[in-house]
Each structure stands twice: as structure tokens, then as C-alpha cells.
Amino acid sequence: MQTRKLGRHDLELSVLGFGGIVVCDRPQDEADDEVAAAVDRGVTYFDVAPQYSDAQERLGPALRPFRKDVTLACKTLMRRGPEAAADLDDSLRKLRTDRFDIYQLHAMTTPEDADAALAPGGALDVVLRARDAGKVRLVGFSAHDEAVALRLIETEQFDTVLYPLNVRPFEAGVFGPGVLEAATSRGMGVLALKAMARARVADGEDRPYAKCWYHPEDRPDLAHLLLRYTLNLPGVCAALPPGDPDLFRLALDLVETHGIAPLSAEELATLTQAMPAAAPIFPEPV
């Protein structure tokens, strides 16, 4: 699988990452096999969080044979320093590692999130100290709110941003372009979420994929166009496919078989016409 440099940093990631949700709530032997198969296919970027059920407990043992060869990203939802410190140490223990390549403030969504995390003694202070102590290599955040994301980027304290970059809102200019420009202008590593999202699940509507809070695109031709669109946005290093195991494997198949060439004008028109008029609604869980 193709790899790319992560912004200004001396780190290369596979263009598709492995979200820990893929292995949550599954037997350990299945998790082991899933991770080994992904590594065999060239996946070097793994992302997880404490909120993904038992994903940390499953991913830690599964990654152990490959840890030195992969980039491991984790997150904390905690905003206050003491809780963030406890979260970080607990994740290190569960993932059976002594450091995270990327550690992120998770789901930074409201001004209050930013106020608390950026305050003296807040979560960011803890993560920066963990970096100084060698427990963390790069400091990042994930977000589903543009104003909050821009505020964090402007502090120039972060190395990476994990953010939804999806064709419908991006082409409309309403969600994504500002964050992407601000991040890339500073040399930040940009990691993409929701490339394969089609629309949100309406109230009262059944979720077709239990591990996706939104409707993912599962038609291979359109899923491939969506991945190619996001992966060709300027500065994007990698994308995390949906956490459903079948959709994750579909993304690997599409990229492995058909590549990630930029979309032609005709392909972009086909894609935008095929997408629902309503974009995925943000903010939502990261």
C-alpha cells in the first residue's frame, strides 16, 4: 500500500488506517487475524480510543508482534489534567506499549472543550509533558467543529489533526476547506475521517451498520470515488475507513486493486450527483 509523509514530521503512514472499532467486541483470535491481515496488506497506521468499547484490550495483544513497524495513535476525552494523565497511562497499559506515536485530544467539539483542555494544568499540558517524557511522539486532536479546530490549530501546539473530510460538505465549502488550509499551511499532519460517509442516520431509522453512526457508502464504485476524493485533497496523509470490518476490507480492496488517482471532472460530477443532498451532520462522535 502507498505511504505518505505526515506533514512536516519524519513519519510515513499508509494511506488507509486501521480504526480500532474494527476489532472491538470480537474474540481475541479474530482481532489477531484482522490485524495481521491488515499489516500483511501494508497498513501501518492504527488508531484507537478508550471509548471504542474493548478495542484497546483487543488491539494491544494483536499489535504486539508488529508494534515497532507501525504508527499507533490513541486519544483522550478527558479535558482536565489529572484525568487525562490517568487515561494516557491506562491506554499505554492496555495497548501493551511504552509510547504512542500520536496522542490526540479526542472529539474537541465545543468552546468549553477547548477552554478546559487549553487551560493551565489541562489535558494539553499533560500531553505535552508526556511528549517530553517520551510517552508521546506527536501531539494531535480530533474534532467535528470547524471553529474549535481552527482555534486549536492557531495555538501552534499541535502536530496533527484528525478531521472529517467528505466530498459533499467540502465541495459546498461549508465544512473542511478552512481547517485543511490552516493545518497544511503550518505543516501539520492531516488525517481524514468520514471519507466514505453518505448521510446521517435519521431519527427512528435503523442503522445498517452497527459500528457506524452514519450511513456509509457501501457501493464499491462510489466508495472508491469517495476515497480517491479525500485522499487527493492537498495535504491529506491518510484516511480511516468505517469501523465495520467488511467496509474496512472493502476500502483496502479498492485502494489495492484500483489505486487512488485524482478524480477527473467527469468522475467528480458523477460522485456529487450520486450523493444525497443532505451532508453528514456535524458535530457528531469522532
Side-chain angles (χ1 to χ4, degrees), residues 138-224:
L138 300 179
V139 176
F141 71 88
S142 66
H144 270 88
D145 181 272
E146 189 152 294
V148 171
L150 290 172
R151 178 180 171 189
L152 297 178
I153 290 169
E154 287 164 4
T155 68
E156 300 194 345
Q157 295 288 329
F158 295 92
D159 303 307
T160 67
V161 54
L162 176 63
Y163 198 74
L165 295 170
N166 177 274
V167 63
R168 174 65 70 178
F170 199 94
E171 284 295 304
V174 298
F175 196 90
V179 168
L180 187 61
E181 181 179 0
T184 56
S185 70
R186 292 166 171 80
M188 293 176 66
V190 178
L191 305 165
L193 292 165
K194 308 303 185 290
M196 288 171 60
R198 186 168 72 243
R200 72 172 302 161
V201 176
D203 292 342
E205 186 180 6
D206 290 336
R207 287 165 57 174
Y209 293 93
K211 292 186 176 183
C212 297
W213 58 262
Y214 55 93
H215 282 292
E217 183 55 72
D218 55 9
R219 292 168 288 183
D221 55 342
L222 293 177
H224 188 224

Side-chain angles (χ1 to χ4, degrees), residues 7-165:
R8 65 179 183 269
H9 310 293
D10 186 22
L11 197 61
E12 291 231 348
L13 277 59
S14 55
V15 295
L16 291 182
F18 185 111
I21 295 174
V22 172
V23 295
C24 74
D25 302 323
R26 297 173 66 185
Q28 188 62 54
D29 60 343
E30 289 186 12
D32 293 347
D33 291 345
E34 195 84 63
V35 167
V39 171
D40 188 59
R41 297 179 70 172
V43 176
T44 64
Y45 164 40
F46 289 79
D47 176 276
V48 71
Q51 287 66 46
Y52 302 159
S53 187
D54 61 356
Q56 293 186 119
E57 290 90 336
R58 300 284 78 77
L59 197 57
L63 270 180
R64 196 162 189 174
F66 315 107
R67 180 64 188 93
K68 65 181 177 58
D69 300 316
V70 302
T71 295
L72 179 57
C74 195
K75 313 184 185 85
T76 181
L77 262 182
M78 301 300 106
R79 308 305 185 213
R80 295 179 63 250
E83 290 88 350
D87 222 20
L88 172 59
D89 287 339
D90 185 59
S91 290
L92 288 168
R93 178 181 60 81
K94 288 176 178 174
L95 285 154
R96 304 190 183 188
T97 188
D98 61 355
R99 49 122 183 117
F100 289 120
D101 301 292
I102 306 170
Y103 196 71
Q104 302 150 108
L105 303 186
H106 188 186
M108 298 293 289
T109 302
T110 67
E112 292 74 21
D113 287 329
D115 289 344
L118 298 178
L124 179 59
D125 275 357
V126 163
V127 179
L128 292 175
R129 288 200 301 271
R131 183 179 63 185
D132 293 342
K135 293 182 178 181
V136 169
R137 179 173 178 182
L138 300 179
V139 176
F141 71 88
S142 66
H144 270 88
D145 181 272
E146 189 152 294
V148 171
L150 290 172
R151 178 180 171 189
L152 297 178
I153 290 169
E154 287 164 4
T155 68
E156 300 194 345
Q157 295 288 329
F158 295 92
D159 303 307
T160 67
V161 54
L162 176 63
Y163 198 74
L165 295 170

